[in-house]
């Protein structure tokens, strides 16, 4: 039911297309390390899934031994680039015409697999069974189609934050992505294939087909072919997109001369589908008949879905199947129908990777022994096509490309990711402050900004690997790939969900990793950490000479000045490259004087006069001066007040942000100089944890499970978020169930101007605990 096409009964040799050339670095990537396969074959599209192990480079830091009296190293730690093996899921979608060529390609490139079986689902699995077994030498093991569909749906909802969207045809942004509720169950899945199946999903393994209809995609295709003599489904939809249903349908106003007020019926409402064809003495156009038919079937399905949703008290209704397949015209008619019948109380939800659900589910069935659901997975933007509009009027170049091959890659994450327990309402939490898919002016600026910064990123990537002569060639490949991604996002801003500064940064990190640049800023961080450590004791000593009130302000000012040192901000990186002597005191002088752009400092100071917090969770930002001379003295003061501190840093590299590995070494070195930090560590009042992130921004709904556990155990009552990426681009509006402090310096003149400030304006946002009213 994932495809509504009748399986072509013509001889196989006539349906195959062997003319296509497959580039192995773009399609069917990493086949030599493929371990397990699954396939979903519908009436016109094949979806192939496989699991592979991927070797890539990671940057590791290791501390030099500083315990001996004679120190032979000027540097605090050494950096090494090591090979690491991780798991990746690959999903490829292509037209059935290419299946034999693709199977030949897989056979030629399959090297290390121990797989003997390929899991298969979909109506075409039986037709191509013999071909698959002969070409690949694998036994085809067929799986139940609906079970695969549900498993695939659960997987994408759980692992891809911007998977579900509402379609709004006439809005500035067609695709409005929804925040996935932490608990994805229960939901209704309306699968529109040849017919319609309506499935209630209550848990991972519990679902029930509660209803359906024989009037579905096959009906639209069949009746449409009879009415218009058009045999291809996509052509039929194209006709419908150009038609006017009012030429064929009888409206309320055609019967009553206007609206029927007493029954609440507007004049433009369809009273009878195809009603005019019985009395009108004229020929109707193919376009108008196709549009009328589309409305008739969509309205019927929409009403049916609404009745079942109401009967089972379900508010989340997802639509999928061949009839939908990302077509704007079908998504629009279904959306209209749902809005009408529920009076806007239920939204029609669609899925970005709807076409892959069967293949994903079949793969998961075959991989149960590895229990893939025990891990968290993340979309690899570098290897994924993204959502492409199939509207005939929109970007025909992209339509042609996505009609041939489409890819999705998911990387297994080292850490299991969960919500921060302190989110006030996880279901309404949106990490990003600005959605660039809806803000055209901001979108154009940031796309230009990231493209303009490419030269600098390439330069630093090459400089980070001076002993590797091929680094320059890899860096150029990175440049080409990331520029292509930016161009795609310029035309299709919804390709990877909501377009945000965070997603642009993450896409860049994914592309850097793709070409084995795991940490382009490693040497910059190493140098800045070594320099900043030499000034730590002097900074603490100068703070101790101040009275209490002066000291609190100096500590905050120190965090803000430290946050200036951000290599991700071009205004700062230009200064740091041109003036190597630019330091902590110079940064303080750059800060705006109070009152700051956002200024809750007086409220914060008043709070500090009260009892100490039990435990503070601090999301840190940059290496060097930021963490050592800005954050650590602030942490030291919290410890002196009797507050436990949890420092959360990135699990993996991003720009010059400090990683957990680097922070462990830095904290040990500081502890050797500072008895307060030493006591904090030894008494377990200062804890260092990984955030689970490798991004310059922060998504509080996808954090390391261990961090969430520590937050609960320590009864955390203060969250501190530092930096432009974590506290302005993301989490500026985040509502927490405890006190929070968001500190950042604005290092982008365009953003500063938009917020009503200027370069180096300060955001100091203290939010006290507001207890919900009873």
């Amino acid at each position: 039911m994932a495809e509504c096409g009748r399986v072509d009964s013509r001889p196989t040799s006539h349906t195959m297309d062997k003319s296509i050339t497959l580039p192995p670095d773009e399609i069917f990537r990493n086949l030599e390390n493929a371990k397990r396969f699954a396939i979903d074959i519908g009436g016109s599209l094949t979806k192939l899934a496989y699991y592979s192990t991927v070797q890539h480079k990671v940057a590791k830091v290791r501390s030099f031994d500083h315990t001996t009296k004679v120190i032979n190293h000027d540097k605090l730690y050494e950096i090494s680039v090591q090979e690491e093996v991780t798991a990746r899921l690959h999903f490829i979608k292509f037209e059935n015409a290419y299946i034999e060529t693709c199977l030949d390609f897989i056979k030629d490139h399959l090297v290390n697999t121990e797989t003997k079986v390929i899991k298969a689902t979909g109506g075409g699995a039986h037709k191509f069974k013999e071909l698959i077994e002969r070409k690949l030498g694998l036994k085809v093991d067929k799986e139940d189609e609906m079970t695969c569909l549900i498993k695939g749906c659960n997987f994408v909802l759980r692992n891809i934050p911007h998977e579900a969207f509402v379609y709004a045809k006439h809005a500035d942004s067609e695709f409005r992505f929804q925040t996935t509720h932490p608990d994805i169950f229960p939901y209704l899945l309306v699968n529109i294939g040849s017919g319609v199946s309506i499935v209630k999903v209550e848990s991972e393994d519990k679902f029930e087909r509660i209803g359906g209809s024989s009037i579905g995609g096959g009906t639209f295709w069949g009746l449409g072919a009879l009415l218009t003599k058009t045999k291809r489904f996509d052509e039929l939809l194209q006709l419908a997109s150009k038609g006017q249903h009012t030429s064929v349908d009888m409206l309320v106003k055609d019967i009553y001369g206007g609206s029927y007020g007493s029954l609440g019926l507007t004049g433009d409402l369809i009273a009878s589908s195809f009603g005019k064809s019985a009395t009108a003495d004229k020929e109707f156009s193919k376009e108008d008949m196709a549009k009328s038919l589309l409305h008739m079937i969509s309205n019927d399905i929409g009403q049916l879905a609404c009745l079942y949703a109401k009967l089972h008290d379900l508010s989340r209704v997802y639509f999928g199947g061949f009839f939908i397949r990302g077509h704007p015209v079908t998504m629009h008619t279904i959306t209209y129908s749902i809005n009408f019948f529920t009076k806007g109380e239920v939204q029609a939800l669609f899925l970005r990777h709807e076409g892959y659900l069967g293949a994903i589910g079949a793969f998961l069935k075959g991989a149960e022994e590895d229990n893939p659901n025990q891990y968290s997975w993340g979309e690899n933007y570098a290897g994924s096509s993204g959502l492409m509009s199939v509207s005939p009027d929109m970007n025909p170049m992209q339509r042609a490309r996505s009609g041939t091959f489409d890819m999705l890659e998911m990387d297994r994450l080292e850490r299991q990711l969960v919500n921060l327990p302190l989110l006030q309402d996880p279901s309404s939490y949106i990490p990003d402050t600005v959605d660039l898919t809806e803000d055209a002016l901001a979108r154009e600026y940031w796309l230009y900004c990231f493209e303009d910064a490419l030269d600098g990123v390439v330069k630093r990537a090459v400089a980070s690997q001076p002993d590797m002569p091929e680094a320059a060639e890899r860096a150029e490949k990175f440049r080409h790939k990331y520029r292509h991604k930016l161009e795609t996002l310029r035309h299709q801003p919804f390709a990877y969900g909501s377009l945000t500064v965070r997603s642009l940064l993450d896409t860049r990190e994914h592309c850097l990793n793709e070409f084995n640049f795991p940490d382009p800023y490693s040497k910059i961080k190493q140098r800045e950490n070594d320099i900043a450590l030499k000034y730590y004791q002097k900074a603490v000593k100068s703070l101790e000479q101040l009275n209490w009130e002066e000291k609190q302000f100096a500590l905050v000012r120190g965090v803000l000045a430290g946050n200036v040192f951000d290599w991700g901000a071009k205004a700062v990186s230009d200064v740091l490259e041109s003036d190597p002597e630019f330091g902590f005191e110079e940064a303080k002088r750059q800060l705006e004087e109070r009152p700051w752009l956002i200024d809750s400092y007086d409220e914060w100071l008043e709070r500090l006069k009260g009892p100490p917090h039990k435990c503070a969770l601090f999301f840190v930002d940059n290496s060097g001066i930021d963490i050592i001379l800005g954050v650590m003295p602030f942490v030291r003061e919290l410890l002196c007040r009797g507050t436990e501190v949890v420092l959360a840093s990135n699990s993996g590299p991003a720009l010059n942000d400090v990683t957990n590995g680097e922070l462990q070494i830095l904290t040990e070195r500081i502890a050797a100089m500072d008895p307060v930090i030493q006591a904090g560590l030894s008494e377990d009042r200062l804890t260092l944890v990984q955030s689970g992130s490798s991004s310059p921004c922060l998504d509080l709904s996808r954090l390391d499970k261990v961090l969430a556990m520590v937050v609960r155990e320590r009864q955390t009552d203060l969250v501190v978020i530092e930096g432009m990426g974590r506290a302005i681009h993301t989490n500026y509006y985040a509502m927490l169930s405890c006190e929070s402090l968001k500190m950042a310096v604005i290092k982008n003149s365009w953003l500063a101007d938009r917020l009503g400030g200027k370069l180096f304006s300060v955001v100091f946002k203290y939010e006290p605990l507001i207890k919900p009213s009873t």
Side-chain angles (χ1 to χ4, degrees):
M1 296 246 258
E3 304 283 359
C4 79
R6 294 149 296 191
V7 175
D8 200 326
S9 58
R10 291 175 291 175
T12 301
S13 58
H14 296 296
T15 64
M16 298 304 173
D17 185 337
K18 297 188 178 183
S19 61
I20 193 166
T21 302
L22 302 178
D25 57 337
E26 292 180 27
I27 300 166
F28 299 116
R29 302 192 323 151
N30 212 46
L31 262 178
E32 66 275 11
N33 294 316
K35 304 292 182 189
R36 189 177 283 112
F37 286 87
I39 197 163
D40 174 16
I41 308 174
S44 61
L45 292 174
T46 295
K47 285 79 65 177
L48 184 77
Y50 62 95
Y51 162 95
S52 76
T53 51
V54 181
Q55 272 201 321
H56 62 100
K57 296 190 185 304
V58 292
K60 297 283 187 183
V61 293
R62 185 172 69 87
S63 177
F64 285 120
D65 184 7
H66 291 267
T67 57
T68 56
K69 289 187 179 178
V70 180
I71 297 174
N72 298 318
H73 306 285
D74 292 332
K75 294 182 174 64
L76 178 66
Y77 56 81
E78 63 174 335
I79 306 162
S80 63
V81 176
Q82 301 171 12
E83 292 285 341
E84 193 172 83
V85 177
T86 56
R88 177 172 287 172
L89 301 181
H90 305 256
F91 305 99
I92 301 103
K93 182 166 60 178
F94 52 89
E95 292 172 16
N96 288 353
Y98 302 128
I99 192 167
E100 189 167 358
T101 302
C102 291
L103 291 174
D104 283 335
F105 183 87
I106 293 166
K107 178 186 172 185
D108 292 343
H109 290 79
L110 209 53
V111 180
N112 299 321
T113 187
E114 299 170 0
T115 301
K116 304 297 181 201
V117 173
I118 180 168
K119 292 286 184 180
T121 189
H126 175 73
K127 175 190 173 185
F128 292 103
K129 179 177 184 289
E130 185 274 330
L131 180 70
I132 295 166
E133 292 186 336
R134 175 166 51 84
K135 291 283 186 183
L136 299 184
L138 301 175
K139 179 180 177 292
V140 172
D141 186 7
K142 200 166 185 311
E143 289 291 342
D144 176 69
E145 198 167 346
M146 191 55 69
T147 302
C148 291
L149 203 64
I150 300 301
K151 277 191 171 293
C153 192
N154 294 342
F155 183 84
V156 295
L157 287 174
R158 189 182 292 107
N159 288 287
I160 302 179
H162 287 165
E163 177 59 31
F165 62 89
V166 171
Y167 183 74
K169 182 181 179 181
H170 300 296
D172 290 340
S173 174
E174 291 175 275
F175 301 86
R176 293 181 175 171
F177 292 91
Q178 306 296 296
T179 302
T180 303
H181 195 283
D183 183 4
I184 64 173
F185 306 109
Y187 65 84
L188 202 66
L189 179 64
V190 182
N191 192 52
I192 314 169
S194 300
V196 180
S197 283
I198 299 177
V199 185
K200 179 184 179 182
V201 185
E202 296 184 73
S203 68
E204 187 62 47
D205 299 306
K206 187 180 179 184
F207 64 88
E208 177 189 3
R209 185 182 188 275
I210 55 175
S213 172
S214 61
I215 300 172
T219 315
F220 174 69
W221 198 349
L223 278 177
L226 291 172
L227 289 167
T228 68
K229 309 303 178 192
T230 302
K231 296 293 185 183
R232 289 182 63 84
F233 186 82
D234 285 2
E235 287 176 15
L236 197 58
L237 283 175
Q238 199 162 351
L239 286 175
S241 70
K242 296 173 181 176
Q244 290 292 330
H245 75 96
T246 53
S247 302
V248 183
D249 293 340
M250 188 175 289
L251 308 182
V252 168
K253 65 184 178 185
D254 294 326
I255 302 172
Y256 298 105
S259 61
Y260 195 154
S262 62
L263 293 181
L265 303 176
T266 63
D268 292 325
L269 201 64
I270 299 171
S272 174
S273 295
F274 288 92
K276 288 179 181 174
S277 61
T279 55
D281 187 21
K282 67 171 184 175
E283 290 290 317
F284 295 98
S285 73
K286 292 179 179 181
E287 290 83 357
D288 292 348
M289 288 191 290
K291 188 63 170 281
S292 176
L293 181 62
L294 181 66
H295 274 289
M296 182 180 81
I297 289 168
S298 297
N299 287 339
D300 184 64
I301 294 169
Q303 185 172 35
L304 199 60
C306 292
L307 290 170
Y308 277 108
K310 191 171 183 179
L311 184 65
H312 293 268
D313 195 25
L314 296 171
S315 58
R316 282 172 283 188
V317 183
Y318 299 102
F319 289 84
F322 185 88
F323 185 68
I324 303 296
R325 216 178 70 188
H327 285 288
V329 65
T330 55
M331 291 192 296
H332 174 63
T333 52
I334 288 287
T335 298
Y336 178 86
S337 173
I338 290 289
N339 283 342
F340 176 79
F341 288 114
T342 68
K343 295 181 170 58
E345 291 179 8
V346 175
Q347 289 184 312
L349 296 169
F350 305 96
L351 300 172
R352 191 153 63 90
H353 298 104
E354 181 274 324
Y356 292 111
L357 301 187
I360 293 171
F363 172 83
L364 293 172
K365 284 289 286 181
E368 283 176 342
E369 63 195 62
D370 296 333
N371 193 11
N373 281 328
Q374 72 179 315
Y375 304 103
S376 291
W377 299 79
E379 184 175 2
N380 174 31
Y381 297 144
S384 298
S385 309
L387 179 68
M388 298 295 168
S389 173
V390 290
S391 167
D393 306 317
M394 190 171 184
N395 203 0
M397 177 191 76
Q398 291 288 7
R399 176 176 163 77
R401 187 213 59 75
S402 64
T404 308
F405 283 88
D406 204 71
M407 287 83 69
L408 165 66
E409 289 184 356
M410 301 281 289
D411 285 336
R412 192 175 78 191
L413 307 178
E414 286 183 31
R415 328 290 297 180
Q416 194 171 355
L417 305 182
V418 297
N419 278 297
L420 177 69
L422 296 169
L423 281 174
Q424 199 173 90
D425 179 13
S427 63
S428 63
Y429 168 69
I430 298 171
D432 304 286
T433 306
V434 178
D435 185 346
L436 302 180
T437 47
E438 296 183 1
D439 189 331
L441 195 66
R443 178 170 71 245
E444 195 48 48
Y445 169 75
W446 285 110
L447 286 169
Y448 163 77
C449 192
F450 277 88
E451 192 161 2
D452 187 50
L454 250 179
D455 286 345
V457 177
V458 168
K459 177 183 167 186
R460 278 184 278 278
V462 174
S464 71
Q465 298 180 359
D467 302 328
M468 297 184 181
E470 83 292 350
E473 184 184 343
R474 282 187 285 113
E476 284 307 313
K477 287 181 178 178
F478 154 75
R479 184 204 300 272
H480 175 77
K481 182 145 202 170
Y482 188 58
R483 182 171 280 149
H484 176 71
K485 292 287 180 187
L486 292 175
E487 194 57 32
T488 298
L489 291 166
R490 192 167 267 118
H491 292 291
Q492 312 270 67
F494 45 77
Y496 299 108
S498 292
L499 181 64
T500 62
V501 172
R502 175 169 64 104
S503 68
L504 288 169
L505 285 162
D506 290 351
T507 303
R508 189 169 69 186
E509 293 299 325
H510 291 187
C511 291
L512 282 166
N513 280 315
E514 196 68 25
F515 294 102
N516 281 321
F517 293 106
D519 194 355
Y521 293 81
S522 56
K523 295 192 182 302
I524 291 171
K525 290 188 289 181
Q526 183 186 42
R527 184 181 72 244
E528 292 185 347
N529 285 333
D530 288 333
I531 292 169
L533 275 169
K534 294 172 183 173
Y535 294 96
Y536 176 77
Q537 286 173 302
K538 182 182 175 184
V540 169
K541 190 174 179 182
S542 67
L543 286 165
E544 293 302 313
Q545 292 170 354
L546 302 173
N547 67 43
W548 183 83
E549 199 154 312
E550 290 172 337
K551 183 180 179 184
Q552 302 315 308
F553 183 68
L555 285 164
V556 165
R557 200 157 167 260
V559 172
L560 294 167
N563 194 243
V564 168
F565 293 84
D566 181 354
W567 281 84
K570 194 171 186 301
V572 175
S573 62
D574 287 349
V575 170
L576 295 176
E577 285 185 329
S578 61
D579 182 8
E581 300 302 312
F582 185 85
F584 195 37
E585 296 306 316
E586 286 79 7
K588 287 179 185 175
R589 287 193 284 274
Q590 291 287 344
L591 297 177
E592 70 170 333
E593 296 296 321
R594 290 192 68 203
W596 295 322
L597 181 63
I598 304 294
D599 194 336
S600 309
Y601 178 74
D602 291 341
E603 291 86 340
W604 170 248
L605 185 66
E606 207 53 40
R607 172 62 186 86
L608 289 179
K609 293 173 183 176
H613 297 90
K614 182 166 178 50
C615 178
L617 169 63
F618 199 129
F619 288 99
V620 299
D621 193 5
N622 306 304
S623 285
I625 287 174
D626 188 351
I627 185 68
I628 295 166
L629 302 184
V631 171
M632 277 303 188
F634 190 92
V635 167
R636 187 181 190 277
E637 180 69 10
L638 288 173
L639 290 169
C640 290
R641 277 176 56 81
T643 300
E644 295 179 13
V645 179
V646 176
L647 286 181
S649 54
N650 270 8
S651 298
L655 297 173
N656 66 314
D657 292 2
V658 67
T659 64
N660 185 256
E662 292 158 349
L663 187 56
Q664 297 278 356
I665 295 169
L666 291 175
T667 307
E668 286 173 16
R669 187 75 183 101
I670 290 169
M673 297 187 277
D674 187 341
V676 174
I677 300 297
Q678 179 64 59
L681 290 173
S682 60
E683 295 165 11
D684 198 28
R685 294 189 299 111
L686 174 60
T687 308
L688 277 56
V689 291
Q690 300 186 42
S691 67
S693 171
S694 299
S695 169
C697 297
L698 181 64
D699 182 352
L700 296 176
S701 69
R702 287 174 69 80
L703 295 177
D704 190 337
K705 192 174 182 179
V706 174
L707 170 58
M709 185 179 69
V710 170
V711 164
R712 280 197 195 92
E713 289 175 351
R714 304 263 167 150
Q715 298 175 26
T716 302
D717 54 355
L718 171 67
V719 173
V720 183
I721 305 176
E722 180 214 6
M724 200 163 79
R726 291 170 180 80
I728 296 180
H729 290 314
T730 52
N731 299 304
Y732 188 75
Y733 297 116
M735 301 292 288
L736 303 176
S737 59
C738 68
E739 294 174 53
S740 65
L741 183 57
K742 298 164 188 174
M743 294 185 278
V745 176
I746 301 172
K747 293 150 289 195
N748 176 283
S749 53
W750 182 90
L751 180 63
D753 185 59
R754 204 171 222 224
L755 294 174
K758 56 187 179 180
L759 201 61
F760 301 117
S761 283
V762 168
V763 169
F764 187 90
K765 192 178 184 186
Y766 168 62
E767 294 170 307
L769 175 62
I770 300 172
K771 293 180 180 177
S773 55
T774 53

